Amino acid sequence: MKINCLQTDIIWEDRDANFARVVTLVEEGKPEPGSLLVLPELFSVGFSMNLDKIAEPEEGPTYQLMVDLAKKYNVYVNGGFVTRGPDGRGRNESALIAPDGHLLTRYHKIHPFTFGEQQHYSAGDEIRVVALGDFQVAPFICYDLRFPEIFRVAASRGADLMIVIANWPVARIHHWTALLIARAIENQCYVVGVNRIGDDPTLHHTGHSCVVDPLGTVIMDAGEREGMFTAEIEIDNVLDVRARLPFLADMRSDFLCK
């Protein structure tokens, strides 16, 4: 399967401008039918706490753009947006859309960032694993990457492809790469991390979206450029690694969280 990582320079709280940029970049990249297109966390507005401006309905404009891209290019699409929960707080969400436009799964970020996001966004409480072609996919969002226990639970449920969409700043970019590699090694799976580039009002972002294989080798690193970057992954590689090195069989299920 081809993985297409769309690394974008997100324009702060400007949905229309970000939509236009995404449409242009995808058109230039021409993703292969049946492949997976992954966009960053909150790609249409940036990592904003201004819920009155950026929150959308359940199937709002950002969700609909993802559906439109899936149908137009006959691809799977994963990306992030903000809705409001019944308590009025924000929900930082990730949706995975099938090529025919129907929803495969929807994930609510389990770990809102301790610096700011926790005050405006609620925390999700469910790990999602869903079939996508030959793979079992688990979506996660940004700060989740620092909590290996939820990735381990996903692996125990059969996940062999984990996706992390993010707005990860340059100050800790070495953590980003190191943690993506660690999650791949310890769970013997592919890990796809899609980050943004550019500036928001307080932080600078340098991208380095990447795809990591089950042995921890970075097979694609987008560097600091804007664009669509593609890697190919194979389920046989996961199966081979897990058969030759059956470490996951030694997991202690009695120590796994929910």
Side-chain angles (χ1 to χ4, degrees):
M1 169 178 275
K2 294 283 183 66
I3 306 292
N4 309 292
C5 302
L6 200 74
Q7 183 164 280
T8 61
D9 184 349
I10 301 172
I11 302 166
W12 187 249
E13 296 181 350
D14 192 335
R15 188 176 286 112
D16 290 343
N18 289 312
F19 282 3
R21 191 65 188 138
V22 165
V23 167
T24 296
L25 290 171
V26 176
E27 177 59 31
E28 290 173 352
K30 293 182 171 52
E32 181 180 296
S35 64
L36 170 63
L37 172 66
V38 187
L39 301 101
E41 175 188 25
L42 307 183
F43 70 88
S44 63
V45 292
F47 190 60
S48 170
M49 304 299 113
N50 186 1
L51 296 177
D52 289 339
K53 184 170 184 178
I54 68 169
E56 302 184 7
E58 284 279 308
E59 297 185 2
T62 302
Y63 180 92
Q64 191 56 56
L65 175 69
M66 293 165 60
V67 169
D68 292 345
L69 290 171
K71 289 180 175 179
K72 180 176 181 179
Y73 294 98
N74 193 28
V75 295
Y76 297 93
V77 178
N78 180 220
F81 49 87
V82 181
T83 62
R84 281 191 189 270
D87 61 356
R89 303 182 76 202
R91 291 169 56 99
N92 188 339
E93 295 195 66
S94 169
L96 182 57
I97 310 296
D100 64 2
H102 83 266
L103 178 68
L104 290 175
T105 195
R106 193 162 178 150
Y107 169 75
H108 178 189
K109 188 177 183 181
I110 289 175
H111 297 95
F113 191 44
T114 191
F115 297 112
E117 189 180 8
Q118 286 182 354
Q119 285 70 56
H120 300 275
Y121 290 79
S122 63
D125 59 7
E126 190 165 351
I127 294 162
R128 305 282 188 172
V129 179
V130 64
L132 192 163
D134 293 331
F135 289 90
Q136 295 290 320
V137 181
F140 295 104
I141 302 176
C142 204
Y143 190 45
D144 286 332
L145 184 59
R146 292 189 177 274
F147 301 90
E149 60 274 15
I150 59 175
F151 290 77
R152 188 58 121 194
V153 171
S156 75
R157 296 179 183 175
D160 42 39
L161 171 58
M162 302 185 189
I163 303 172
V164 184
I165 59 174
N167 276 222
W168 197 285
V170 66
R172 295 178 294 280
I173 197 65
H174 58 298
H175 296 181
W176 164 254
T177 305
L179 291 170
L180 290 169
I181 292 171
R183 299 296 86 84
I185 292 172
E186 65 201 9
N187 296 300
Q188 298 181 301
C189 67
Y190 284 101
V191 175
V192 175
V194 177
N195 193 24
R196 65 162 294 181
I197 61 168
D199 299 298
D200 66 22
T202 59
L203 297 170
H204 180 59
H205 306 79
T206 54
H208 289 284
S209 300
C210 59
V211 178
V212 187
D213 78 7
L215 289 175
T217 301
V218 177
I219 59 174
M220 190 283 294
D221 185 330
E224 301 182 9
R225 299 167 293 157
E226 185 175 57
M228 193 176 86
F229 302 88
T230 300
E232 187 160 5
I233 66 174
E234 298 179 1
I235 190 61
D236 286 348
N237 193 23
V238 178
L239 298 175
D240 176 66
V241 169
R242 290 181 173 182
R244 288 189 294 108
L245 304 168
F247 302 150
L248 294 182
D250 293 329
M251 280 192 291
R252 286 280 301 273
S253 61
D254 51 325
F255 282 95
L256 289 174
C257 61
K258 68 179 285 190

